[in-house]
Amino acid sequence: LHFFSYFLQNRQQNIAIYELNSVMGKEESKDAEMATDEGNQMPFMDTFYSLTSDDPSERSLAASSLLKHVFFQSNTDGVGRDIAIKDGTYALTRLLNGLCSGRASARQGYASCLASFLKISFKCGADGDSEQVWVQHFMKNAGGHFENPSEFVRKQFTQSTSLEAPKGEGNKSGWGSKSEEKDHQFGKLFGVLAIVRSGTLSSATPKILNGYVTDLVALYDAKQLFREPSTHALREFFSAVAAFSGLESVGKLIEDTLPTFFNFNSKKENYWTAEKMGLYLHLQTLYMNGNDGNIPKQIHKALLTKKNLNKSFGTRTMKKILANTSSTINTRCNLVWDAIWSYLSEVAEKKKGKGKAKGGRTLRKTLISGDDSPTAIIEALVDDVIVENLLADPIKGSKNNTDGRHLALSLIQQMCQIDLSATFYIHFIFQPTVVKTLFVNTLQKGSKGKQNDKKKNNNALKPLASQILEDLVQSLGKENQQIRICVVKALLRGNPSFDQDTRTETVSALLGFEKSKSSMTSEITNLESQWIEYLHFLMDQVIERVSEKDVEINEAIKYIDVIHTFVKRIMRSVNAESSKPFVQRSLMFFMVGAFFNLGEYESSAMDDDSGGAIARTMAEKIKTAVNCIPYEIRVHMSSRFFSLFSDIVVVKQRDNMSKRFLEEAGIVEGAIKSIQDQGAVLVNKINDDDDNDE
């Protein structure tokens, strides 16, 4: 009863604190409840100074104290209400003026408090007053004639953030200093965002909306440092208008304020920037999300296409414009990339019993314009932007290509959040160049001694590269087995010793080796097809290396070692019966490759034991590429054959080692006879390039 009584007495306060939390960030609003106690509340006039503090907790306490003083301490009597109205009018003016202060964190503190102040004043009224909200009282107290509260706020905002200074001694031009001009420009930017986030634009007239957009476009044109933040504000502004007024209002706003902002025929240098492209794609995305085909002519053309990536926009191609965003990557990507992924993908529909698609997004079936599919565009982005530019020579203005690789890693991370096909991982996202440059070269352990600049730069990229691999493993569950094996293939095409060189367990985890032996044995049915596909992939890589004109001996030997390690791990992880299919395939592959010339081999159907059938399968696989594997590789396959054979006997020694040896030897002998009957010949002597008998 006490709590219920307290809640009723503070109902208006609780509503406003809820509004405050919904507008301010976590850091800015976490102390809002603290101000409900008198001991934690700041004096009203002190709050304005504390709003400029660099400490987020002090700013949030100051904001909540200010809001409580204005909105929660008024009484139903006329005197208390008049004081609150005067203090509220004064606070609104101070908050707007404070946006232009360059002191400490003034812009952050004043903008955050302003957003909450406006949201509460537009929704709540004084106790006992159900006819007018607070902002109407402030408007009346300030004087002047306004059609609605939004017009009042717009006028106050314009006066406070105006760049013009009063003429006086030493200021004949009527303009402030350059630093004052920049402060007012930042104030205008923060102010517009505060008004947007307050949610009060729903009552604004088209004229008022046009004014805010015009302010942001002027900031975009003013200085290069305002391009990205002003474009971000424009995106947020148009999204807000679409939410409360619909796309028809957005279209009218584009036609009124951006009639020539997007000119495809412009030849001016730096006319088309990454930020402008990001805004263009964002506006198109709004219409795609709203299923509205009535698109304004200003944004009707297709911008992001395979053809346009290589087309000149002014003095630069689009792919160069996008690649150059790496110079400002730091801890984030340029907003154009967020716009690109939103344009190409959409939130996936939740399926019953299966949850959302990986990352919660899936590629769109159709785009708003153009003939290219989203998949084709992403393929072009990987090839033309990431591989051709970001992973190539250092970009102008960068001593090395660390910035480019940082952006490339960030883009790979973002693409992995979209539900893509299995083949896309192999041929594009994790193609060999990407794997070697971004993951192996970044994560591999350097040599001992003093680090050079390249290795120091790699250290800066290691956390991001490691995080991408960890997220990838976690995001691919049991239902994504086909994608898991495709990712494994892609990583090993880039480097056969991927886990060893990167010092990670990525490949092992994707293959299912992170589980315990008991759980792996119980799930062997689900893993068997995946492991067999993986094993045949490794064998194909060996054959591919020996079938080329220039035999890649070292690469082939690496894949042979991967096969050997993989099978031995299976033997340790599951019981003997479960490991049999993998052991026999590997053993026969090593045997046929190491000891036989298949020049006279002819395949034909035969009914015999599994050993002979597997041996013939391996012989046919090898013969498609080469009759006889080169000597250096055969030596290594021979070594791995005997090593694996002995391991099989040792694993099965529980009953009788000699008996098990004879059993395995019998299987091998039967396999040898089977392929010899088909024309395979044991290699007893090979002549190398120096005519030396081996």
Side-chain angles (χ1 to χ4, degrees):
L1 288 176
H2 174 74
F3 170 79
F4 186 65
S5 174
Y6 177 83
F7 180 80
L8 288 179
Q9 292 173 5
N10 295 274
R11 62 191 183 280
Q12 196 78 339
Q13 173 178 305
N14 293 329
I15 292 172
I17 288 179
Y18 171 78
E19 301 292 354
L20 169 66
N21 290 337
S22 65
V23 175
M24 303 171 90
K26 291 182 180 179
E27 292 297 325
E28 296 293 322
S29 63
K30 66 181 180 180
D31 293 326
E33 290 83 354
M34 292 174 59
T36 59
D37 298 331
E38 287 293 338
N40 290 329
Q41 186 176 350
M42 291 183 181
F44 176 59
M45 295 304 294
D46 290 352
T47 59
F48 298 104
Y49 180 83
S50 295
L51 283 174
T52 66
S53 172
D54 285 330
D55 182 3
S57 61
E58 184 177 350
R59 292 200 306 268
S60 61
L61 181 58
S64 55
S65 298
L66 186 152
L67 296 174
K68 180 182 178 184
H69 176 86
V70 174
F71 298 115
F72 310 144
Q73 292 184 343
S74 61
N75 298 314
T76 55
D77 62 275
V79 176
R81 187 181 302 175
D82 289 344
I83 294 174
I85 291 172
K86 289 181 181 179
D87 286 349
T89 307
Y90 173 79
L92 178 60
T93 304
R94 282 289 301 267
L95 290 175
L96 289 169
N97 290 337
L99 295 171
C100 302
S101 172
R103 183 184 183 278
S105 298
R107 285 187 280 267
Q108 289 89 331
Y110 279 100
S112 181
C113 187
L114 176 64
S116 302
F117 185 95
L118 290 175
K119 186 161 190 172
I120 296 171
S121 62
F122 269 72
K123 285 190 175 183
C124 303
D127 291 340
D129 187 354
S130 59
E131 295 182 358
Q132 289 185 316
V133 291
W134 281 110
V135 70
Q136 291 174 307
H137 293 295
F138 302 154
M139 182 171 62
K140 185 177 179 181
N141 185 67
H145 176 71
F146 305 100
E147 293 183 4
N148 56 54
S150 293
E151 184 182 354
F152 163 67
V153 173
R154 171 65 184 169
K155 183 179 179 182
Q156 297 290 99
F157 169 79
T158 304
Q159 290 177 346
S160 299
T161 58
S162 174
L163 296 179
E164 292 189 15
K167 291 184 179 180
E169 230 176 281
N171 185 18
K172 298 180 181 180
S173 65
W175 293 89
S177 65
K178 288 186 176 180
S179 61
E180 290 175 333
E181 180 183 358
K182 187 171 72 171
D183 285 339
H184 278 75
Q185 288 172 325
F186 272 118
K188 184 166 290 188
L189 176 66
F190 276 77
V192 173
L193 279 171
I195 293 171
V196 171
R197 295 182 183 185
S198 70
T200 60
L201 286 177
S202 57
S203 60
T205 62
K207 181 180 178 181
I208 295 173
L209 297 177
N210 291 351
Y212 288 122
V213 174
T214 302
D215 289 343
L216 295 175
V217 172
L219 284 176
Y220 175 92
D221 294 330
K223 293 179 181 178
Q224 184 174 349
L225 69 93
F226 287 109
R227 280 181 186 170
E228 189 172 359
S230 62
T231 306
H232 175 79
L234 282 167
R235 290 178 57 196
E236 197 162 330
F237 190 93
F238 280 106
S239 296
V241 173
F244 64 70
S245 292
L247 292 175
E248 186 177 348
S249 298
V250 172
K252 187 70 169 60
L253 200 56
I254 293 173
E255 292 174 357
D256 292 342
T257 59
L258 306 175
T260 59
F261 192 68
F262 305 112
N263 184 1
F264 277 79
N265 298 320
S266 176
K267 299 298 181 183
K268 292 181 181 178
E269 185 176 1
N270 296 329
Y271 175 83
W272 276 99
T273 62
E275 294 77 18
K276 184 173 287 190
M277 291 177 177
L279 178 60
Y280 189 96
L281 293 173
H282 177 73
L283 294 174
Q284 287 190 326
T285 302
L286 289 179
Y287 279 87
M288 283 194 291
N289 292 341
N291 295 319
D292 191 333
N294 190 22
I295 308 167
K297 62 181 181 181
Q298 287 82 1
I299 59 169
H300 192 272
K301 287 185 178 180
L303 174 66
L304 187 61
T305 64
K306 292 174 62 176
K307 182 179 179 181
N308 282 350
L309 280 173
N310 293 284
K311 179 182 175 182
S312 294
F313 284 79
T315 57
R316 300 177 297 169
T317 59
M318 181 188 287
K319 62 185 180 183
K320 282 292 184 184
I321 294 174
L322 295 177
N324 285 340
T325 60
S326 63
S327 59
T328 57
I329 175 67
N330 294 325
T331 58
R332 59 171 179 79
C333 282
N334 186 287
L335 61 83
V336 67
W337 293 107
D338 179 55
I340 286 174
W341 307 132
S342 297
Y343 174 77
L344 296 174
S345 65
E346 60 188 346
V347 177
E349 294 182 5
K350 189 172 183 179
K351 298 180 180 179
K352 292 183 179 180
K354 293 186 178 180
K356 290 186 177 180
K358 182 171 62 65
R361 300 193 70 84
T362 185
L363 292 180
R364 297 181 188 272
K365 295 179 180 178
T366 56
L367 300 176
I368 197 168
S369 56
D371 299 326
D372 293 334
S373 66
T375 302
I377 293 174
I378 295 182
E379 291 173 1
L381 287 171
V382 173
D383 288 338
D384 296 340
V385 179
I386 295 180
V387 176
E388 184 180 330
N389 285 279
L390 298 180
L391 303 186
D393 296 330
I395 332 174
K396 186 178 180 181
S398 179
K399 295 180 181 179
N400 52 60
N401 208 14
T402 302
D403 290 340
R405 287 185 290 136
H406 199 304
L407 176 57
L409 280 169
S410 298
L411 298 183
I412 294 295
Q413 185 179 40
Q414 293 166 5
M415 280 187 278
C416 287
Q417 301 304 312
I418 303 174
D419 188 24
L420 299 170
S421 66
T423 54
F424 194 87
Y425 281 93
I426 293 181
H427 299 297
F428 294 98
I429 294 184
F430 293 111
Q431 56 181 278
T433 303
V434 173
V435 173
K436 291 176 184 177
T437 308
L438 291 184
F439 295 100
V440 177
N441 293 349
T442 299
L443 294 173
Q444 66 183 355
K445 188 176 181 180
S447 57
K448 295 182 180 180
K450 188 176 180 180
Q451 287 186 322
N452 56 30
D453 291 339
K454 183 177 179 181
K455 289 174 183 174
K456 289 180 180 179
N457 291 326
N458 282 347
N459 289 335
L461 300 177
K462 284 181 180 180
L464 179 57
S466 298
Q467 188 62 49
I468 292 173
L469 295 176
E470 290 177 12
D471 293 343
L472 182 66
V473 172
Q474 292 177 2
S475 65
L476 296 175
K478 294 180 182 178
E479 69 279 4
N480 302 114
Q481 282 192 2
Q482 188 57 41
I483 296 181
R484 289 167 73 99
I485 194 64
C486 284
V487 172
V488 169
K489 291 178 182 179
L491 296 178
L492 294 189
R493 276 198 178 102
N495 188 311
S497 309
F498 185 86
D499 277 2
Q500 180 181 349
D501 289 348
T502 60
R503 293 176 294 167
T504 66
E505 293 290 327
T506 306
V507 172
S508 298
L510 289 172
L511 290 173
F513 283 115
E514 78 280 6
K515 303 180 180 67
S516 63
K517 180 173 181 178
S518 59
S519 63
M520 287 181 66
T521 302
S522 63
E523 294 183 15
I524 189 64
T525 305
N526 298 326
L527 294 172
E528 183 174 0
S529 61
Q530 180 181 344
W531 285 354
I532 288 177
E533 182 180 351
Y534 171 64
L535 185 59
H536 281 283
F537 160 76
L538 296 176
M539 295 175 182
D540 291 339
Q541 295 305 303
V542 175
I543 295 170
E544 186 178 319
R545 290 335 185 255
V546 301
S547 63
E548 297 175 354
K549 186 176 181 180
D550 297 325
V551 178
E552 300 177 11
I553 296 176
N554 292 333
E555 288 291 305
I557 289 175
K558 286 182 180 179
Y559 282 108
I560 291 170
D561 287 339
V562 174
I563 294 173
H564 182 255
T565 304
F566 171 64
V567 176
K568 289 186 68 173
R569 188 163 188 178
I570 290 180
M571 293 169 65
R572 294 194 304 268
S573 302
V574 299
N575 57 44
E577 188 62 30
S578 298
S579 65
K580 185 176 180 180
F582 314 100
V583 173
Q584 286 191 344
R585 282 175 170 82
S586 304
L587 196 65
M588 297 306 164
F589 178 72
F590 289 152
M591 181 193 73
V592 175
F595 305 122
F596 286 92
N597 186 316
L598 303 173
E600 303 297 327
Y601 181 85
E602 294 182 0
S603 60
S604 64
M606 291 181 64
D607 295 327
D608 55 10
D609 58 22
S610 59
I614 294 174
R616 292 197 306 277
T617 301
M618 296 303 158
E620 292 167 8
K621 181 187 284 287
I622 295 173
K623 185 174 172 57
T624 57
V626 64
N627 289 331
C628 187
I629 290 178
Y631 171 73
E632 295 87 346
I633 300 175
R634 288 194 300 103
V635 168
H636 201 72
M637 293 182 80
S638 170
S639 170
R640 292 309 180 206
F641 168 78
F642 287 115
S643 172
L644 185 58
F645 185 84
S646 62
D647 287 338
I648 296 170
V649 175
V650 171
V651 168
K652 294 186 175 183
Q653 68 179 344
R654 298 184 186 90
D655 298 331
N656 186 310
M657 181 178 288
S658 60
K659 179 181 177 182
R660 294 299 178 186
F661 175 80
L662 292 175
E663 287 181 0
E664 296 301 327
I667 294 174
V668 172
E669 185 179 6
I672 292 174
K673 185 177 184 304
S674 177
I675 61 173
Q676 282 182 325
D677 290 343
Q678 302 299 112
V681 179
L682 281 168
V683 181
N684 296 320
K685 186 170 69 173
I686 282 289
N687 292 326
D688 62 12
D689 294 338
D690 298 325
D691 293 330
N692 293 324
D693 291 342
E694 299 289 352

